[in-house]
Amino acid sequence: MSTNRTFTMIKPDAVKNGHIGAILEKITAAGFKIVAMKYTQLSLRDAQEFYGVHRERPFFGELVEFMTSGTIVAAILEKENAVEDFRALIGATNPADAAEGTIRKMFATSIGENAVHGSDSDENAAIEGAFHFSGREIY
Ligand code: CMP
């Protein structure tokens, strides 16, 4: 069953490039309600745990280094069909393949530095949201 929630991070590249406001505007304009949000920075341990499923991938080291390189915005978003609709809004992982008008097409620079994260399933949305937020921080 769909939980109608997804989890996102505005990644260090987009924060450094000054795109927090524009990305949040795209997200809310698309009908997502922000039910939790924080400005934070991942520690090495946080990033290794969060991206644990990618541990064996050749890009794991690069991914962890990048995701700990600066501040991020983490948020839980609510909307009917949230996971699928949010992935459509952000576009393909590689911005070169992302459709016109998507967040990654507009703000990402490369497959590694791709501006935003979006959960790939309801199950992962719940796990990732709980990684960053306690129940008392979700409204
Ligand atoms: P995301 O979907 O947020 O979570 C996994 C991340 O791994 C993905 O975004 C990309 O930023 C990153 N990633 C995937 N493939 C590559 C790759 N070939 N090289 C570098 N980073 C990658």
Side-chain angles (χ1 to χ4, degrees), residues 9 11 50-51 54 57-60 62-63 66-67 87 90 93-94 104 110-120:
M9 291 182 286
K11 298 187 181 185
F50 186 90
Y51 286 110
H54 297 303
R57 303 280 192 97
F59 57 81
F60 183 69
E62 193 185 316
L63 174 61
F66 166 61
M67 286 303 297
R87 286 175 76 80
I90 66 178
T93 305
N94 187 344
R104 283 172 171 158
S110 67
I111 190 166
E113 306 204 357
N114 64 357
V116 281
H117 169 80
S119 305
D120 63 3

